[in-house]
Amino acid sequence: MSLFVQTEQTCPNCRGVFSCEAARSVNIDRCPDQRAAVLAGGFQRRQCSHCAHVILLEPDFTYLDLGRGQWIAVLPARCLCDHLTWTAKKQALFDQSYGALGRDQRRLRGRLQGLAQDSGPALSPRLVFGWPALREKLLLQQIGFADVIWEVAKLDLLSRLPEPPLPEPPLPQDVELRLLGMQETQLQLAWVRAESGVSLQEFQVSRQVYDGVKAIPGPWAAMQALLGASMFVDLQKLFTEPAVRR
C-alpha cells in the first residue's frame, strides 16, 4: 500500500497556503498507475485551492516495485549536496526493511499480505535526488540498461560532445543530463533543471554510447567501481560540492 500524508504548501503564484496530500511511500505492485504517473510527469502535481495554480511537490518518499526489483529513496534535488549523509541514512533504512536485518520480518509480512516477497528479481536499493533522476531510473529499467554502465556512458559522452550545450565540468549543480526515452536505436537525452524538471536542451544519440561501454568495460573499470560503490549511482556525485558543516 502507498502512504500519503497531509501537508501544507505555499503557492508560488499567490503565496496562499493550502493543504494537500504528499506521498511518503509508493508501492507500485499495489498501485501500478503511480509508476505511469511518475513517467508522465503528473505524479504529485497539486492545485492551489486559492488561485488554481498547479505546482509540482518536492519528492520525499520511498518507491517500491518488487516486480521490477526496484527500491528507490527519492529526495528533493536541493538535498544533493548532502548525498553522503543521505546515502548512509537510506542504506540503513533499506537494510532494516529489506536487507539482512529485515529478511525474517519481510517473509512474515509477505505471507500475511499474500505477496511473494522472496520471488522475482532481487531488490536493488538506489538513492535519487529530484524527479528527473527518478524518471531516469525507471526508464533505464524499462529499456534494460544497467544504471552503473549508463552513468559511465554519460561521462564518456560528455567528453565527446562536439558542441557541448553547457559549460565544461564542473556542471552547474542544478543542471543534469538525463535520459528521456529511447526510439529504436536512438536515445533521447536532455539537459534539465534538477528541481523543476524543465528541459533546457534536448538531443539524440545512438544507443552505441551505452553498448560500447558495456562491450569493452576495461578502460572504465575504476570509474564504474566508483559510481557503483553505494546506492547513490549517479554521475552528479562527481560534480557536487559536499555540504560544509559548521
Side-chain angles (χ1 to χ4, degrees):
M1 170 182 297
S2 297
L3 174 65
F4 290 79
V5 297
Q6 283 294 127
T7 65
E8 288 193 342
Q9 303 292 327
T10 300
C11 176
N13 184 55
C14 71
R15 307 309 299 172
V17 177
F18 66 99
S19 297
C20 64
E21 287 190 333
R24 286 296 174 261
S25 67
V26 173
N27 188 322
I28 300 304
D29 302 280
R30 294 295 184 90
C31 305
D33 59 311
Q34 292 173 348
R35 178 179 181 273
V38 170
L39 287 170
F43 188 64
Q44 291 280 76
R45 291 193 181 274
R46 299 291 185 260
Q47 188 176 67
C48 173
S49 59
H50 304 288
C51 69
H53 180 73
V54 176
I55 67 170
L56 178 62
L57 301 187
E58 285 189 322
D60 186 1
F61 59 90
T62 56
Y63 176 101
L64 175 63
D65 188 341
L66 289 171
R68 295 180 176 86
Q70 289 184 299
W71 184 97
I72 306 173
V74 192
L75 290 171
R78 57 182 170 79
C79 296
L80 176 60
C81 60
D82 258 337
H83 67 83
L84 293 175
T85 299
W86 283 113
T87 296
K89 289 181 178 180
K90 296 304 182 181
Q91 184 65 59
L93 174 62
F94 175 80
D95 289 343
Q96 182 178 15
S97 300
Y98 291 95
L101 295 176
R103 186 174 296 121
D104 292 339
Q105 294 93 326
R106 186 168 80 256
R107 287 173 178 168
L108 176 59
R109 185 165 59 248
R111 295 191 192 102
L112 294 174
Q113 296 177 346
L115 297 175
Q117 295 274 6
D118 293 320
S119 65
L123 278 179
S124 295
R126 291 293 184 261
L127 170 63
V128 300
F129 297 90
W131 292 107
L134 173 60
R135 283 193 287 271
E136 183 174 69
K137 293 297 184 191
L138 305 191
L139 286 168
L140 290 172
Q141 189 281 330
Q142 182 172 296
I143 65 178
F145 279 17
D147 61 352
V148 178
I149 297 176
W150 172 242
E151 294 301 323
V152 172
K154 283 198 293 186
L155 184 61
D156 182 38
L157 178 63
L158 283 175
S159 69
R160 296 188 292 108
L161 285 175
E163 296 180 1
L166 291 170
E168 295 290 331
L171 296 172
Q173 192 162 308
D174 64 336
V175 176
E176 303 173 343
L177 180 61
R178 295 296 177 191
L179 178 70
L180 300 183
M182 182 170 73
Q183 293 184 353
E184 298 181 350
T185 62
Q186 294 296 303
L187 302 173
Q188 284 80 49
L189 301 175
W191 294 98
V192 301
R193 292 287 183 184
E195 291 196 16
S196 66
V198 172
S199 177
L200 303 177
Q201 184 174 14
E202 298 183 12
F203 60 100
Q204 292 186 343
V205 298
S206 169
R207 66 166 289 160
Q208 182 59 33
V209 299
Y210 173 87
D211 294 336
V213 173
K214 182 180 180 181
I216 309 176
W220 297 99
M223 184 56 66
Q224 186 169 328
L226 174 62
L227 290 170
S230 71
M231 62 164 30
F232 181 41
V233 180
D234 198 305
L235 188 62
Q236 291 303 114
K237 71 167 69 174
L238 305 179
F239 305 136
T240 302
E241 291 286 340
V244 177
R245 301 296 181 186
R246 296 185 182 275

